[in-house]
Structures are given as structure tokens and as C-alpha cells.
Amino acid sequence: MKTLLNALLVAVAVMAPVTATVTPARADVVCDDWCQGAWAQQRANALPRTAFYDPPSPLRRAPAGTLIRQQPATGYTVPAGARVTRLLYHSRTAGGRDVAASAVVLVPSGTSPHGGWPVVVDAHGTSGMARDCAPSLMRDLYHGDQMARFLDRGYAVVAPDYAGLGTDGAHALGDKTAAADDVVYALQAARRAVPGLSRSWVLWGHSQGGAAALAVAERQVRHPVDGYRGAVVTSPAASLDKIAEHAATGPGLGAFIALIAAGAHVSDPGIDPRRLLTAEAVSRLETTRTGCLGVVSAVFGDLTGPDLVRPGYLTDPRFARFLETNSTGAQRVAGPVLLLQGQADTVIPAWMTDEVAETLRRSGSAVDYRTYPGLEHDTYPGQTVGIDDGAMPDILAWVANRFGHGIDAGSTAADANSASGPRRRSAG
């Protein structure tokens, strides 16, 4: 089950109308109850950000994937006996600049098996843009419930934060090249830091992380990293122009267009959010510097359409170029890929992923596309089940098959929380 911390807040943003004016947490403005509740949940789930996350200054250039430091870490909600190691490592921006990034490595209890623990690399969904929005600074690790399912089956998990989350600098949210670098180099740093990892690895990415996973799979075609066995991609934020339009017009989704605009500015400083967002939306952007997704969802939840974005924002030349350049799913990817989508998803509608699957098929990519009736983007406790939880039996079976554990990847174990099993559509 997706963590209550952010999932419930996003559920409210997506499913319930906003009746109160929500304002950013500035000194001259008081948050409403929803905003204050979001801050309280963020603080309750937070771990202290220590000097571990501060890279050396200046950061002397080193090969990407080089380990800067590591430390054993506690305070997380993980299965009994699991061990967690924090990493600080060298990654790269899209422009090739050396940058520090953080990650965690989780290994199951006991000693590693012969050949090492198979590795699942987790590319996480949108958590925010502030330093404290790093999953490694959250007690539940953001996707920790799903990570536990992998640990229970004897797999290690490598979970990068993305540069600018945890570390200093700024997070280039939406920049597919930077995200792919962070993921690949986290794996390389993990191999240097933690003994007992197998050479075999599978990538798993959800939402923003689903786009990152597709970017890594694109990269594998040109610059393969050994041991790759395929990728599980759930509800990917692949077509950024379509997602930006959907977020700008969908009730309660304003946080996502605000984060995309802010991330685009980090990637290309020539992109000015003031040309994309209304003055009221721009006045609330300061919240993205400290608040994570739940907080930002509360702050932007009452803005949509012309109250949120300026006319013609999608045709701003630099912003349009950013959206096109950083969209995924249009190029051939290294496979196999298990692409999963909930048909009840209100954040990434199923039609978007249908188009991604068809485009990948035409590119010659090996994609097993499955859709699931009744599954949402994330699990919203007491309301709906998300794709990662509802499809987890199929994810585990497919991953086991990729690691050669003899489980039939074609079998579909309908989840108890799902009305029915998936509709399977092979592409390629």
C-alpha cells in the first residue's frame, strides 16, 4: 500500500473539490487546515537531514558512479532484519556537469545467496522538489511498502533520490537524461558500497519514475549496463506535453503543472515560470522549496485552468522544447518491458499509456502491456487501490521470471483488492 503520508493528500486533491482558498506557507499568510495537515504529515514522516547529505565543497570531478561516502542507516519502516545503507555518489546533469546525488540500498536479512542478491532498482514517483523530499529522508521511503515485497522475496533494492533531493542544488524534475543518469550511477555506486549484490538487475519505475525507467531503457539501447534484465513501468509520466495539459485542466492537479514548470526552469534557466503560470500561481511557487507533494497539492489544489496557467503556455518555445525533448516512450527501448496501467487512474489517464504502448510497439520494442480495471494511480486508503499494489502479484511473478526463478511471467494472479485481473495486450 502506498504511504498514507502523500497518497491520502493527493487522493483528496484528485477526488474532492476544494472549497477553501489555499495559500503558501509564507510568513505573511496562514495555511488553512488542509495545508497545515499536509505539513504535519510531512514532518511526522521526516528523518533528520544530516551533514551526510552535504557534498564536499568544491565537489572535485570524479567518474560518474564514484562513491563519495556511505553510512548504515536506521529509522525506516522496513522488514525485520533488513539492512539499509545510505550512499552519496557522483552523478551527472543533462549537460554533463558533475553533481552529487543520494540513494539508499536495502538488502534482506541474512547472508547473500550464491551469486548475490538480485537487484531491483527503484525509480520513484514525484515526491516534490525540496531537499527534504528525498525518499531516503522519509521513514516510509516513499515506496517502502512495495520495496518490502521485493525484500521478502530475497531481492536487494537500490533506490536513488534524484539529484537535488537530499543533496544541495535543485531537482530537475522532468529532465529524463538527468533522471536516467541518477538511476544508472546509483546502481554503480551501490555495487561499490554494498557487498553481495548480484550482477543481475531489474528496473522498476512508477509515474515520474516510470518515465525515468523508460529513459534508462532508451539509454540501454545506446550505452548498455551489464546485467540488465528488463523494466517494470507503471503509469509512466511519459508524454510531458499531454500530462502538462491534463494537470492544468484537471481539478486538484495543479501541483503537477507547478512542479513541471519549476523543474523545467532548473533544467533550462531560460524557461521562466512567470510566462507559463498566472501571477497567483507564481506567488505560491515558493512552497515547492520546502514542501513535498502533499503540501504542494494542498497549496495549488484550488487553482485550475485560467486561474493556474497563462494562455498559450504550452506553445512557449523553450517550454515546448523541454516537454518534447524529455518525453519518453517515443524511442525504441531495451527490453523486455512490463508496462502496467490502471484504468481508473486520474493522474495519468489510461489513454496516455495506451498511446505509449502503441508507439513502443511500432518502434520494435518488446513490451507486455497490461491494463487493470478499477486501479488508480496510487493507493488512497479507504478509497481506491493503486496500480503498484493491485498489480503486485504480476510484478513479482514477472521479476522472478527475469531473474530465472522459474515463475511463469504469463500467469496473472488477480489481486484480492482488484475487481478483476488485468487485460493483457502484448506489444512487440
Side-chain angles (χ1 to χ4, degrees), residues 93-157:
T93 67
R97 180 171 59 86
D98 196 331
V99 64
S102 54
V104 290
V105 183
L106 300 86
V107 298
S109 60
T111 58
S112 64
H114 179 70
W117 291 293
V119 176
V120 175
V121 181
D122 164 34
H124 69 81
T126 300
S127 59
M129 289 192 63
R131 287 188 71 178
D132 290 340
C133 301
S136 72
L137 287 170
M138 300 179 185
R139 297 182 187 278
D140 62 9
L141 288 166
Y142 205 55
H143 290 295
D145 291 337
Q146 289 90 6
M147 292 180 192
R149 304 289 295 275
F150 295 120
L151 291 169
D152 287 343
R153 280 151 182 80
Y155 308 143
V157 177

Side-chain angles (χ1 to χ4, degrees), residues 302-318:
D302 65 326
L303 296 182
T304 190
D307 294 327
L308 176 64
V309 293
R310 292 187 177 278
Y313 72 103
L314 284 177
T315 59
D316 177 89
R318 298 185 81 121

Side-chain angles (χ1 to χ4, degrees), residues 29-96:
V29 179
V30 178
C31 274
D32 71 351
D33 289 343
W34 181 15
C35 179
Q36 293 287 357
W39 277 112
Q41 292 191 54
Q42 179 175 319
R43 289 191 293 266
N45 193 42
L47 292 171
R49 175 164 49 83
T50 67
F52 176 86
Y53 287 87
D54 298 331
S57 182
L59 180 65
R60 298 186 182 279
R61 189 173 179 89
T66 298
L67 190 66
I68 298 173
R69 64 176 71 106
Q70 68 185 86
Q71 68 174 193
T74 59
Y76 300 110
T77 304
V78 295
R83 299 183 298 282
V84 185
T85 302
R86 280 183 180 145
L87 310 179
L88 199 67
Y89 63 97
H90 288 265
S91 187
R92 295 288 187 268
T93 67

Side-chain angles (χ1 to χ4, degrees), residues 35 40 67 80 168 193 206 214 366:
C35 179
L67 190 66
D168 63 353
H206 174 65
L214 288 173

Side-chain angles (χ1 to χ4, degrees), residues 122-328:
D122 164 34
H124 69 81
T126 300
S127 59
M129 289 192 63
R131 287 188 71 178
D132 290 340
C133 301
S136 72
L137 287 170
M138 300 179 185
R139 297 182 187 278
D140 62 9
L141 288 166
Y142 205 55
H143 290 295
D145 291 337
Q146 289 90 6
M147 292 180 192
R149 304 289 295 275
F150 295 120
L151 291 169
D152 287 343
R153 280 151 182 80
Y155 308 143
V157 177
V158 174
D161 289 326
Y162 307 136
L165 301 180
T167 54
D168 63 353
H171 172 40
L173 188 151
D175 189 316
K176 72 175 187 179
T177 301
D181 284 347
D182 293 340
V183 170
V184 168
Y185 298 136
L187 175 63
Q188 294 180 3
R191 296 199 187 286
R192 294 182 169 99
V194 179
L197 301 184
S198 167
R199 302 304 299 176
S200 296
W201 61 286
V202 162
L203 181 59
W204 164 52
H206 174 65
S207 194
Q208 178 188 348
L214 288 173
V216 172
E218 290 176 4
R219 175 196 179 114
Q220 281 292 115
V221 173
R222 305 184 305 274
H223 307 291
V225 176
D226 70 303
Y228 175 72
R229 298 291 180 260
V232 178
V233 177
T234 54
S235 302
S239 303
L240 286 185
D241 57 341
K242 296 181 178 67
I243 292 168
E245 183 176 13
H246 176 65
T249 56
L253 297 178
F256 294 102
I257 185 63
L259 290 168
I260 290 171
H265 175 71
V266 173
S267 181
D268 177 3
I271 297 174
D272 187 351
R274 292 173 298 181
R275 295 200 302 266
L276 311 175
L277 305 176
T278 63
E280 177 58 31
V282 170
S283 76
R284 305 183 187 191
L285 276 179
E286 182 67 23
T287 306
T288 65
R289 296 179 181 272
T290 52
C292 298
L293 180 58
V295 171
V296 180
S297 294
V299 167
F300 283 87
D302 65 326
L303 296 182
T304 190
D307 294 327
L308 176 64
V309 293
R310 292 187 177 278
Y313 72 103
L314 284 177
T315 59
D316 177 89
R318 298 185 81 121
F319 187 52
R321 188 182 312 119
F322 171 84
L323 297 176
E324 179 181 8
T325 300
N326 290 288
S327 289
T328 53

